Amino acid sequence: MLPSDKPPAAPIPSPPFSISSLISSRYNPTKGKYLHLLSSVISLPSVLSLSIPASSFPLHFSLASLSLHLRLSSLSPSSLSSTIPSSRLKGASLTLPCPPLKLTLDSLRLTLDSIFAPKRATFAYSGRHTAVKYIKNYIQNPTWWFKVDIPRQHFTARHVSRLLEVLSGKIDDPQLFLFVRDLFESDLVSIELGGAELGRGFPQESTIVPTLVNIYFDRVDRELQVIREEVHKRNPRLKEEHLTGNGSTSTAFHRPVRVYAIRYLDEIFVATSGSKFLTLDIRDRILHVLEGELGLKVDKLGSSVHSAVSEKIGFMGYEFQAVPPSVLYPPMSEKAIRARKKYLKMKAAKAEELKNARETRRKKLGLKILKQLFNRMKAGESFDLGFGIEREVTEVFDEWAGETVKEYFQNLENRCYWHRLLLTGDFFRLDRIRCQLPDKLVQSYDTLQEKVEQFLSHVRDIKSLEREQSRKIEEEERCYAKRTIDDLAELKIKVSAPIEQVRKAVKLAGFTNSMGRPRPIKLLIRLDDADIIKWYAGVEKHESTKRQAISHFTKDLKVKNKDGVDEIWFPTEREIKMMGAETRNIPDPKPVDGTLTMILVQLAVDDKEKYECVAHFCRETDTTILYRIRLLQNRLNVDPLNEMKWVPGLGAVHESLNKKCFPLCECHATELLLGKITLQDIDCTSYVDIE
């Protein structure tokens, strides 16, 4: 740990503080590199404190002392680490950094991201859901694709040397390189490529690992950029006038060959709209870089090229397939159309029934009032209202009468009936009769005929109705033609979860029995009702909507506190939309692997000693509760590396944390159960040793 002395604090940049401008000041144009970042940037208290929330409690260690030791390079990473023994005799222990070293790693991560992230390839994503959105929305008409299958392999000293070579291309700081090498040699930073631990929030993965992996795979990104530029240059996109000629329209489709690439940490996916030979050449070039320059093992059989139309491909835990648009957005069937028309008809009938019921109740009430007044007036009783209501009553009846007449003549059949009744077989049309009648009578008759034609003529409405029906038919034909052409000329990406793996995961966690039917999880009985709901909310994966789930469970999805106020509940679909949870606004969520494979069991301890919350920068003691971690793989006695018994692609928390007790305040315990924070966000080295 850090010595107890408190040396003078390191100089802090004057506000406003910007880590980007601070790093830029260390750039040497002559060498083209950043100089002495460990002593001049990473070790500064202002940079170290960037990861500390403003509302956090005072630190247990001296930030100035940590800064001085970093500047003098007198700090050994192993001195700021702690080893957690396994709960099993033959289990593996886990070495984790203490809070001062975690703060240093966060400062190092921010510094490296400021240097390398702005120049990172656009297809190198920092979130799984963002990468999936790109695959689903922007890949057009793929014909062939492949993923690079990297088997599980440890990041050895040879790979660390290669990583330091990449860092030395932009940074000149021997002390920083020595510090990074010590991190790997002391197992404080460990990278398992090809596994299921990267980017999952597990405690065995350091927060700096994604940054280092992105830097290490930068060579692959540059090779993919070169490939895309070469292919796109050979296949330029023609402008509109080149397609249509001399202003004339053309139905020809111009689909130039395109190469799409997605990389998330050590997972690489490439799709092309060209030939299979082109895709094979791209794959061979990528594998050559991975094997030759980066020194990684690659499974060539697992990296085979697949047809995007006829074969599904698994990537990042999802299944992708190129399908026609009608598969993703199928048109309504005849049965669905009939059901919709029937529903609309029933809805209109119900509205009419409610309207008639209101009018009937209004009529009965009016007759009852009139009868009561009439009886009282017959008895000789007089009423003096103090004001005349004749005008108001006249206006009300005029309004009612106008609405009734207007509603009556809105019906086309009623208008046809009166039009025919007023214009058919009238003797006033005969000339020998009209000449014998007074002029005023003839003029009045002609005016009446004009008004009848103006207000009751149904010819115009019939023609308008025919035009509307013709327009609907044309629109349906146009939509049908467009769907047919799109199905023949376009391909969309269908994204689906591997249902068998999901079923295996929920079965492994105890949600279902061997027959696939729901079953209770006995270990959850020890939890409070609120904690049970939070745990289920953190791992919930269901095909039904929240509204359907609530209709099944009703009150069981809500827990009230002692004051009768809802303490925890499942949000409805409308509440989710009000929170802005539309597809385009959903950020990359925390992975639920850790929440699914562990359970926090609340302990009933009679000890009056108050424990501090082990969440980073939280020292809350008033609402702290002791929780014991129970890991799924230890309860089932299953090795997570055995894909025959474990779920492929599902990570697991390191076994050394099994049965370890951690004090957590109410807020952080809720966030951990809901999956809003992970075990990386708590100090796992500060566990309480309770048998």
Side-chain angles (χ1 to χ4, degrees), residues 200-201 531 533-540 588-596 598 600 667-681:
R200 305 296 180 93
D531 290 340
I533 292 180
K534 294 170 188 175
W535 187 81
Y536 272 101
V539 301
E540 182 195 31
D588 281 283
K590 295 279 187 178
V592 298
D593 299 50
T595 310
L596 180 65
M598 76 173 184
L600 291 179
C667 176
H668 288 108
T670 298
E671 291 182 346
L672 185 61
L673 287 167
L674 292 176
K676 295 182 179 179
I677 64 174
T678 64
L679 291 178
Q680 285 183 348
D681 301 313

Side-chain angles (χ1 to χ4, degrees), residues 510-524:
F511 284 93
T512 58
N513 56 19
S514 58
M515 300 295 293
R517 296 173 180 171
R519 61 176 296 273
I521 302 178
K522 297 180 180 179
L523 198 60
L524 294 179

